[in-house]
Amino acid sequence: MNRIVIFASGSGSNAENIIQFFQNSEQIEVTHVLSNNPNAGVFDRCERLDIPASLFEKSSFKDDDTVLNFLLAEADYIVLAGFLWKIPAAIVEAFPNKIVNIHPALLPKFGGKGMYGMNVHKAVKTSGAKETGITIHYVNEHYDEGAIIFQASTAVTESDTPESIAQKVHELEYEHFPRVLESLILKNG
Ligand code: GRF
């Protein structure tokens, strides 16, 4: 079994989608969800889906090895699904090409610090870009700069609002993220 641990800071709709996608898989399973946010909607979803979920403190992530040791024991792959903190170097080094993030735009555009959630979709709208999309990429120690695994795009029309752009992007995320994870994990054997 390839074990995935998901990190999520917010609502967790991608986390739920990934959990459900692999529910009947014989090769891949989501074993745990970790969150830095006690109010994250992902906790309710995990309770409903019967997936263990834990809250962790910044210090156990950044300053000592608590989260790293948990991951070394529990995870083959780490999936960031709406997770807002930078991954510490020790975790990146321990999981080379095993940490995958989804970014809700077409990197390298609309990436980097502060570019998360609705900030991204507002920036896309303001820029007048004619398209946006999703980027699934490996995580290195810089925000949004790891090697790109997959992108998919969607048109942005004049009548689109940041909210409608967000909805289009979410649809792409739900369609592609679990499938891209599946193919990269199975390819690695
Ligand atoms: C998604 O748009 C993801 O790409 C971004 O944060 C959002 C998380 O949404 N990084 P959800 O928590 O999965 O509903």
Side-chain angles (χ1 to χ4, degrees), residues 8-16 42 45 80-84 101-105 115-117 121 134-135 166 169-170 173-174 177:
S9 301
S11 157
S13 66
N14 276 285
E16 175 164 2
V42 75
R45 295 181 193 268
L80 311 182
F83 180 66
L84 297 184
N101 182 43
I102 189 160
H103 185 77
M115 276 294 153
Y116 61 86
H121 308 306
I134 59 168
T135 303
V169 167
H170 261 311
E173 292 178 336
Y174 302 150
F177 200 11

Side-chain angles (χ1 to χ4, degrees), residues 51-179:
I51 296 286
S54 308
L55 177 70
F56 63 91
E57 301 285 332
K58 196 162 212 165
S59 58
S60 67
F61 185 55
K62 267 187 66 201
D63 304 333
D64 66 45
D65 291 340
T66 313
V67 173
L68 172 64
N69 288 335
F70 176 84
L71 293 168
L72 288 170
E74 298 288 330
D76 299 305
Y77 290 87
I78 298 166
V79 172
L80 311 182
F83 180 66
L84 297 184
W85 288 351
K86 191 177 164 192
I87 302 295
I91 295 179
V92 174
E93 280 159 23
F95 288 88
N97 286 339
K98 297 286 166 71
I99 311 177
V100 180
N101 182 43
I102 189 160
H103 185 77
L106 296 170
L107 291 175
K109 285 177 267 175
F110 306 108
K113 205 160 187 190
M115 276 294 153
Y116 61 86
M118 286 307 290
N119 294 352
V120 176
H121 308 306
K122 284 180 192 155
V124 167
K125 176 69 191 170
T126 307
S127 76
K130 296 277 184 283
E131 63 169 10
T132 187
I134 59 168
T135 303
I136 297 170
H137 65 94
Y138 290 113
V139 170
N140 65 18
E141 55 285 4
H142 303 292
Y143 279 104
D144 298 333
E145 284 179 22
I148 291 174
I149 301 163
F150 177 88
Q151 292 186 302
S153 60
T154 182
V156 178
T157 64
E158 274 181 22
S159 61
D160 270 320
T161 60
E163 289 71 24
S164 69
I165 295 171
Q167 195 181 332
K168 288 179 177 180
V169 167
H170 261 311
E171 278 162 23
L172 288 180
E173 292 178 336
Y174 302 150
E175 181 184 348
H176 295 290
F177 200 11
R179 289 180 175 79

